[in-house]
Amino acid sequence: MRTETPVAVKLAEYKPYPFSIDEVRLEFRLVPASTQVRATLKVTPAGNGPMRLDGESLQLKSIRLAPEGSPLADIGSDAFTADEHGLTLHTPPAGPFLLETVVEISPETNSALSGLYMSGGRFCTQCEAVGFRRITFYPDRPDVMSSFKVRIEAEKAAYPYLLSNGTPGEAGDMDGGWHFAEWDDPHKKPGYLFALCAGDYDVLRDSFTTASGAHVDLGIYVDKGEAPRAAWAMDSLKRSMRWDEETYGREYDLGVFNIVAVRDFNFGAMENKGLNIFNSAYVLADESTATDADFEAIESIVAHEYFHNWTGNRITCRDWFQLCLKEGLTVFRDQNFSADMRSRPVQRIKDVIKLRARQFAEDAGPLAHSVRPDTYASIDNLYTSTVYEKGSELIGMLRRQIGPESFRKGMDIYFERHDGQAVTIEDYYACFEAATGKDFSQFRRWYVQAGTPEITVEENWDAASATLTVKLAQSTRPTNGQPVKKPVPVPLLSALLDGKGGHAAAEGQAAEPFLYVLDRESAELVFKLPAGAPRPLLSLNRDFSAPVRLKRMLSRDDRLALVRAETDPFNTWDGLQALIKEEILTLADGSQTVPDTALVAAIGEAVRGALQDPAFAALLTRLPDVGELFLEREPADAVALAAARRKLQASIAVELAAEIADTLAQASPAPYNPGAEQASVRALRSAFIMLLGGRGDAADMLAELYRNAPNMTEQLSALRALTVSAGPGREEALADFEAQWKSNALVMDKWFSVQAGLGSAEDVRRLVTHPDFDLRNPNRVRSVIAAFAMQNLAAFHAPDGSGYRAVEETILAADKANPALGARLLTAFEQWRLLEPKARAEAEACLRRLVAAGLSPNAMDIAHRALDGDTKG
Ligand code: B3K
Ligand code: ZN
């Protein structure tokens, strides 16, 4: 195993590729152990000099070249050099030429799941970011775009379906039981969007007619017998296609759109042109095997990958530093699609929960980086929450500041101006400058500066003059390599609340919400109210209009008053979350032993008041995860925080006992429908089931809920609650679940994940030796190791180091086979410096043992940054 960290790539060193690849022809002879790939590139040089092609783990069989008009001929071995990372043609022709290479690769032994590999006996590919170079020699960079023609040959009985990008061409039988199929993708694309799938599948077929009347054949390719479980994905796909037409005026541009589901996949899904490849977890669902959260994730991921067709594929990134150009923007688009399909405020709250849990944590630790970094060591490690989720927040702030119409106008200019190109963030903002005449150079600081801005708020009410003065100040803590931060424009959607459910008007202002942009280090806002007016309450950062941390010096009573006066659903929820966070911290540090009754009563009151919107009410019962609390106090004691959290949860369960009993006595909605309305009802039922789990005296009721659960959403909630309660019934339910679902891998992932996410280090040791634990399957590895290390923080960060020891060997073994997976698992250590001294020392020792044992370059990049990075700048 190589243990060096990769050499850093720098944005400042970008140079265009000195050749254009006008056309690519690929011919595959598929054999699991030795696939032959013949690539013919039509090349036009843009200058003189050598031609460098990327290539990894390829066995070169032949290389031929033909200046335009001449036949292909072998080139001498002194005309090129091949090394571990590619091939250089020393003196390519000065004019256009054809270059043909033949290589052999071994999909069967490709456990990295990058390039061409086997999953469940079928061929599939993953090329983003740098997998295409594991298939053929090619300039594997996003700014080299070309049209592709593909011919696939394979044994017909074993691989009856042969798929690639674009639309199908000729197909037919060959000698020896083989057959072939040709595909043609006329849209120019970079190598990272290439895809090939071959095997036997069941296919769910449908069609879509675009707004301008074009017919599109839709197909979802799944494991035998699973086609009915792809119905929701298909429905989501058609709704996404319509939504992109209605919202952005973007139509689909080929006659075929296919999705293939594979079980072994490093992440959620991939937007290959016309042939999306999905982790089967985000395709297959029905009421008995999938939860509402699964249905929701499928809807949003199908949409995300589909939306990439315009934001990512037709217009792609010039280089990987611009990754947020396609990812942040496409997340923004999928979040808005989900908000339109479901409840906008509930969607916003869920997006913010995710942002805070993952991105704020990343920003606060040694792995912090800007949304558009200017250097990276391993591109695989750049697919982060900062690039995706914070990237989306930046687009949201842009839209909020310029308004929906100007935003759409800017997007139209972007699609018009850059179709078929590989571009930069600067190109993107130039479109909005053209649309609005505004200058976004200060706004673009958000892209280069890492860290979460903190906004401090000080208020002063002068009753005599009926004047509210608000002092706002922003600062961003230093991050690795960025000791000094400049102010960024922070759009704060705000309102003055009258305490009676409405808004107050200050002089010169209407009684309605307004947008204030804090674009300097500090500012003072003065609101003069009519003489004798009561003090208005200030509602700030409504709808989480800026991805910042607000620091307000308010007492518990003031905060409660603010929650009661709020008119913004996000802030109602967030006001309670802030109170709950404070409460858990106070319980954890021992300065208070029992939860405050007034707070518990206020939570109860809020939940009761929201019962007509059950999904929202469910979110009001939520307690922040232990990881979120790490950011609030240093050093962080995961064990004490988890215990405090449980205490508060138990009190809320007692407070809401009557509502819980009432709600759960009613039948779950039937017949089952995965849509928002029913999912909302089930969200509250599940939240209440989880609260029961915290009570410790509800074992019988939970066992009964488990036995009678009419769908997976409730079956899993009851299983989780029983697992948390650790009382009688836990083992029985886990055994029952295993017996019921042992032949369904996706459901078994849930079984593994419940135990790893809620159990002990001992449970993890047992689970990794379970006969169904499979190191080669990323879903299964994540269902144990990521569930434990990223969700079960009290057990993972146990002060005696037992949590770290339970996972370290598995992380090493996973990394050896699959560096992308290994590196991802290692990010669980990113917060180690925030921990209390014992866990901190154990975490550091574990990281050092992992480094000494030898990690992949990807994982080494994470480990070194985690160990070396000092967040103090
Ligand atoms: N673009 C892919 C992610 C590729 C990850 C490569 N390490 C899926 C997505 O964001 O849509
Ligand atoms: Zn994406």
Side-chain angles (χ1 to χ4, degrees):
M1 165 107 349
R2 298 203 313 270
T3 56
E4 80 273 22
T5 15
V7 187
V9 189
K10 295 192 171 62
L11 171 60
E13 291 172 4
Y14 171 82
K15 283 198 197 68
Y17 191 61
F19 299 84
S20 76
I21 310 293
D22 308 317
E23 218 177 278
V24 180
R25 180 168 171 83
L26 296 173
E27 292 165 31
F28 288 85
R29 272 189 72 79
L30 295 177
V31 179
S34 60
T35 287
Q36 184 186 291
V37 187
R38 179 188 306 270
T40 313
L41 316 183
K42 199 171 154 212
V43 185
T44 306
N48 300 315
M51 181 182 198
R52 177 70 183 169
L53 301 169
D54 302 298
E56 261 172 32
S57 310
L58 307 173
Q59 250 194 65
L60 182 63
K61 293 290 173 188
S62 80
I63 172 163
R64 298 194 297 170
L65 196 142
E68 201 172 34
S70 316
L72 283 166
D74 283 338
I75 61 171
S77 58
D78 54 348
F80 70 93
T81 312
D83 56 51
E84 225 187 319
H85 299 292
L87 183 156
T88 305
L89 285 184
H90 300 308
T91 43
F97 62 95
L98 289 181
L99 174 69
E100 180 209 74
T101 59
V102 178
V103 301
E104 213 172 86
I105 53 180
S106 170
E108 194 176 64
T109 52
N110 178 355
S111 61
L113 314 189
S114 161
L116 180 66
Y117 66 94
M118 308 295 297
S119 174
R122 305 181 190 105
F123 289 87
C124 67
T125 53
Q126 171 53 38
C127 294
E128 188 176 359
V130 285
F132 193 57
R133 65 188 61 185
R134 294 162 61 88
I135 294 177
T136 187
F137 286 104
Y138 197 73
D140 192 7
R141 39 187 287 171
D143 58 343
V144 174
M145 300 175 82
S146 185
S147 59
F148 281 64
K149 286 191 164 64
V150 177
R151 177 184 167 97
I152 309 169
E153 300 176 1
E155 220 181 295
K156 189 171 181 176
Y159 312 105
Y161 291 98
L162 307 175
L163 308 170
S164 190
N165 317 87
T167 46
E170 259 188 69
D173 290 338
M174 298 165 59
D175 291 344
W178 278 54
H179 70 151
F180 77 96
E182 300 202 333
W183 290 81
D184 181 5
D185 183 5
H187 295 282
K188 285 191 179 294
K189 65 167 181 285
Y192 85 83
L193 290 172
F194 168 78
L196 177 154
C197 293
D200 199 3
Y201 311 90
D202 273 359
V203 192
L204 180 69
R205 294 190 193 278
D206 207 325
S207 69
F208 181 82
T209 306
T210 67
S212 56
H215 176 90
V216 186
D217 285 323
L218 308 176
I220 303 188
Y221 293 71
V222 296
D223 275 359
K224 294 301 230 179
E226 298 278 30
R229 288 196 176 127
W232 178 250
M234 182 64 88
D235 186 64
S236 303
L237 173 61
K238 290 191 288 181
R239 283 182 283 123
S240 310
M241 294 176 91
R242 194 60 76 212
W243 187 89
D244 215 14
E245 294 182 343
E246 288 168 355
T247 316
Y248 286 93
R250 297 293 115 197
E251 287 190 19
Y252 188 59
D253 50 11
L254 286 165
V256 176
F257 187 89
N258 285 326
I259 290 178
V260 176
V262 302
R263 167 104 179 103
D264 305 290
F265 204 68
N266 271 343
F267 32 88
M270 178 64 210
E271 69 262 25
N272 318 295
K273 181 81 188 187
L275 179 57
N276 286 187
I277 299 181
F278 269 62
N279 186 325
S280 54
Y282 300 110
V283 174
L284 303 175
D286 63 24
E287 63 184 274
S288 60
T289 58
T291 63
D292 287 318
D294 296 326
F295 279 97
E296 210 174 308
I298 290 170
E299 182 177 81
S300 104
I301 296 177
V302 166
H304 180 97
E305 306 310 333
Y306 175 73
F307 297 155
H308 268 315
N309 190 54
W310 275 95
T311 49
N313 300 3
R314 288 186 68 132
I315 307 180
T316 190
C317 305
R318 187 193 72 175
D319 50 67
W320 292 120
F321 296 100
Q322 322 293 331
L323 185 58
C324 63
L325 174 81
K326 74 178 179 81
E327 295 305 347
L329 177 56
T330 305
V331 170
F332 176 76
R333 277 151 53 69
D334 85 55
Q335 289 174 341
N336 279 281
F337 167 75
S338 296
D340 283 349
M341 295 299 120
R342 294 162 184 266
S343 148
R344 186 159 283 271
V346 167
Q347 179 66 29
R348 186 67 188 136
I349 292 169
K350 288 182 180 174
D351 292 339
V352 174
I353 288 173
K354 193 167 161 192
L355 181 82
R356 283 181 172 154
R358 300 195 196 156
Q359 201 280 323
F360 280 22
E362 191 164 80
D363 249 351
L367 302 182
H369 57 276
S370 54
V371 173
R372 189 187 58 187
D374 50 21
T375 173
Y376 62 78
S378 157
I379 177 58
D380 292 331
N381 293 341
L382 203 62
Y383 289 76
T384 60
S385 182
T386 296
V387 168
Y388 277 66
E389 274 82 34
K390 187 170 177 183
S392 164
E393 292 299 318
L394 306 195
I395 306 291
M397 285 194 287
L398 166 70
R399 184 176 187 272
R400 201 179 291 271
Q401 285 183 73
I402 64 178
E405 276 151 31
S406 295
F407 181 72
R408 172 67 198 269
K409 195 167 156 206
M411 287 298 294
D412 286 348
I413 296 174
Y414 177 63
F415 292 128
E416 173 75 19
R417 203 183 264 185
H418 295 298
D419 191 12
Q421 297 177 2
V423 303
T424 62
I425 286 296
E426 285 74 13
D427 294 324
Y428 181 75
Y429 277 87
C431 299
F432 291 90
E433 283 168 358
T436 61
K438 293 198 168 86
D439 172 13
F440 292 99
S441 39
Q442 195 203 3
F443 185 75
R444 281 195 281 106
R445 268 185 206 158
W446 277 103
Y447 285 85
V448 295
Q449 218 163 252
T452 308
E454 284 179 15
I455 313 293
T456 52
V457 187
E458 275 177 59
E459 295 158 63
N460 181 46
W461 169 247
D462 179 39
S465 62
T467 305
L468 178 68
T469 310
V470 183
K471 281 193 192 146
L472 296 170
Q474 66 164 298
S475 65
T476 303
R477 290 186 213 180
T479 53
N480 253 332
Q482 277 191 342
V484 182
K485 307 284 181 178
K486 294 185 183 146
V488 286
V490 180
L492 295 167
L493 187 62
S494 314
L496 295 177
L497 308 172
D498 67 7
K500 292 181 242 146
H503 300 142
E507 256 173 28
Q509 269 186 290
E512 55 188 42
F514 56 92
L515 189 68
Y516 174 74
V517 182
L518 175 66
D519 59 2
R520 64 204 73 181
E521 243 145 48
S522 61
E524 194 172 272
L525 305 185
V526 179
F527 301 97
K528 177 125 188 53
L529 281 100
R535 174 181 181 157
L537 297 173
L538 180 64
S539 168
L540 263 185
N541 209 22
R542 295 161 74 84
D543 199 32
F544 208 63
S545 56
V548 297
R549 297 171 63 175
L550 278 191
K551 302 267 163 210
R552 281 180 91 160
M553 331 294 162
L554 294 178
S555 68
R556 190 190 266 158
D557 287 348
D558 287 347
R559 285 184 191 277
L560 273 173
L562 192 54
V563 168
R564 294 203 173 96
E566 260 302 346
T567 54
D568 174 55
F570 177 84
N571 270 1
T572 302
W573 172 82
D574 202 34
L576 271 181
Q577 287 286 294
L579 277 159
I580 292 171
K581 267 187 200 162
E582 247 342 281
E583 187 69 7
I584 296 174
L585 291 166
T586 315
L587 290 166
D589 69 23
S591 51
Q592 193 182 299
T593 49
V594 288
D596 177 59
T597 45
L599 173 64
V600 173
I603 298 170
E605 178 193 322
V607 172
R608 280 187 284 271
L611 289 174
Q612 77 296 344
D613 184 354
F616 184 64
L619 286 168
L620 293 173
T621 70
R622 172 191 187 263
L623 303 183
D625 290 326
V626 171
E628 273 178 69
L629 298 160
F630 278 16
L631 304 179
E632 304 296 326
R633 286 271 201 296
E634 268 182 66
D637 181 340
V639 177
L641 288 169
R645 192 179 176 280
R646 269 198 306 276
K647 236 185 221 177
L648 182 57
Q649 195 170 29
S651 304
I652 299 173
V654 173
E655 167 73 24
L656 287 169
E659 288 74 19
I660 295 176
D662 264 13
T663 303
L664 296 178
Q666 290 160 34
S668 190
Y672 184 93
N673 180 305
E677 201 175 319
Q678 277 197 9
S680 170
V681 174
R682 284 187 293 269
L684 185 61
R685 294 174 62 84
S686 292
F688 281 173
I689 293 172
M690 284 311 293
L691 282 180
L692 279 183
R695 277 194 63 148
D697 59 357
D700 290 346
M701 191 168 172
L702 286 173
E704 197 184 320
L705 283 162
Y706 174 81
R707 272 193 305 275
N708 299 331
N711 50 59
M712 180 50 73
T713 303
E714 291 179 36
Q715 187 180 9
L716 193 65
S717 298
L719 185 70
R720 290 173 67 89
L722 280 163
T723 306
V724 176
S725 72
R730 176 191 198 259
E731 296 312 317
E732 202 181 313
L734 284 168
D736 174 86
F737 195 95
E738 184 183 14
Q740 186 184 358
W741 295 113
K742 60 177 176 296
S743 61
N744 185 317
L746 291 176
V747 183
M748 281 304 284
D749 288 338
K750 301 182 193 304
W751 181 83
F752 278 96
S753 153
V754 164
Q755 296 174 77
L758 301 166
S760 62
E762 262 326 296
D763 289 322
V764 169
R765 290 186 179 279
R766 177 175 50 77
L767 293 170
V768 295
T769 57
H770 188 283
D772 291 336
F773 184 76
D774 177 3
L775 257 183
R776 296 290 171 108
N777 178 250
N779 287 1
R780 186 56 48 88
V781 174
R782 283 187 291 254
S783 73
V784 178
I785 307 300
F788 181 68
M790 297 176 182
Q791 288 160 27
N792 192 351
L793 300 194
F796 180 58
H797 295 303
D800 62 1
S802 55
Y804 307 131
R805 280 191 299 275
V807 296
E808 80 182 75
E809 268 172 39
T810 313
I811 293 181
L812 272 176
D815 182 51
K816 208 161 245 145
N818 185 338
L821 178 62
R824 187 53 61 110
L825 296 175
L826 266 187
T827 61
F829 285 88
E830 73 179 339
Q831 293 188 309
W832 72 273
R833 276 179 202 276
L834 302 180
L835 299 168
E836 51 79 20
K838 283 193 179 132
R840 181 186 157 128
E842 292 287 348
E844 180 175 6
C846 179
L847 270 172
R848 295 202 186 278
R849 284 196 300 273
L850 287 165
V851 169
L855 293 166
S856 68
N858 280 15
M860 202 55 102
D861 171 42
I862 300 286
H864 276 156
R865 280 155 63 202
L867 282 168
D868 302 344
D870 179 354
T871 57
K872 305 287 179 272

